[in-house]
Amino acid sequence: MRFDLTDLRLFLNVAEAESITHGAERTHLALASASARIRGMEETLGVPLLERGRRGVRPTPAGEALVHHARLLLQQVERMRGELGDYAKGLKGHVRLLSNTAALAEFLPEALAPFLAAHPNIDIDLEERPSHEIVRAVAEGLADAGVVSDHADLSGLEVFPFRTDRMVLVTPHGHPLANRRSVALCEVLEEDFVGLAARNALQQHINEHAIRAGRPLKLRVRVRGFDGICRMVEQGVGLGIVPEASAKRCRRFTKIRAVPLTDSWAVRSLVVCVRRLDALPSHSRELVTQLAGAI
């Protein structure tokens, strides 16, 4: 069997994404090249590795076995890179880090920048996911670490504090709610809202709590980020729900008000989770330690 590390990483990414297209993107390969590599692996082994269907692909039993061994091999390679990094300055290290929406948008850029500047030979594969998906990926060894809300089930993982994330209601100046000291979500469900994309993890989280409070949010428009929400709110399109850190930043260039939400779910602790810190490659351990200490 003549599989290289790119083959193994590609197959893991395809299996996790259940899509050759998305797996190729995560591996930074053209779709044609990725398809050819997977066909070559199947021809070499003499068995199909993927079940191909209209909605994507799934590993066959042989593919599941390959996923298991590929994951172990790649983890060992990363540990080797970390341990040899002190001796081989040109050796590249790789960390797979998953994050929920709030941490990725507001906290991680500032927290990761010093680490990347100090470690030019380490790359970080950073991807946004819902917290529950991140926990599962970390537990299964598909990611080195994750930044999630502590509302997720973190059983069996090692957890380190990262940030406190508070959600607030943003309104335009002059809105009847603008001068309120606080407000509950159930009080504003008749209002129009500006939201994030339908598949956005945080928007799904907010929508679930709106339904529990009485009804779905009335979303007039969806935008790509918190800045877009705040700009739409400023123009009177609707209200928005964003992290407090985003509202504070956006108030520098928009005329909005931020009103704290009283709901218990609106205050979350963000944490860094790993399977076992001492089992990570040295560069991954250092990143987790730096994130946990950057409060």
Side-chain angles (χ1 to χ4, degrees), residues 81-100:
R81 284 174 171 163
E83 292 172 7
L84 294 179
D86 292 337
Y87 305 99
K89 296 298 183 182
L91 197 61
K92 295 285 284 186
H94 178 268
V95 181
R96 181 122 197 257
L97 177 65
L98 305 181
S99 172
N100 69 7

Side-chain angles (χ1 to χ4, degrees), residues 108-125:
L108 279 177
E110 183 178 1
L112 291 177
F115 180 86
L116 288 168
H119 301 83
N121 291 324
I122 297 176
D123 295 335
I124 297 177
D125 180 7

Side-chain angles (χ1 to χ4, degrees), residues 200-228:
N200 179 276
L202 179 59
Q203 190 62 56
Q204 291 174 352
H205 178 69
I206 294 170
N207 290 346
E208 289 171 4
H209 285 287
I211 291 171
R212 291 176 188 174
R215 56 162 297 166
L217 293 181
K218 295 193 296 182
L219 292 171
R220 293 195 63 201
V221 63
R222 297 179 183 270
V223 296
R224 295 190 61 180
F226 301 129
D227 289 16

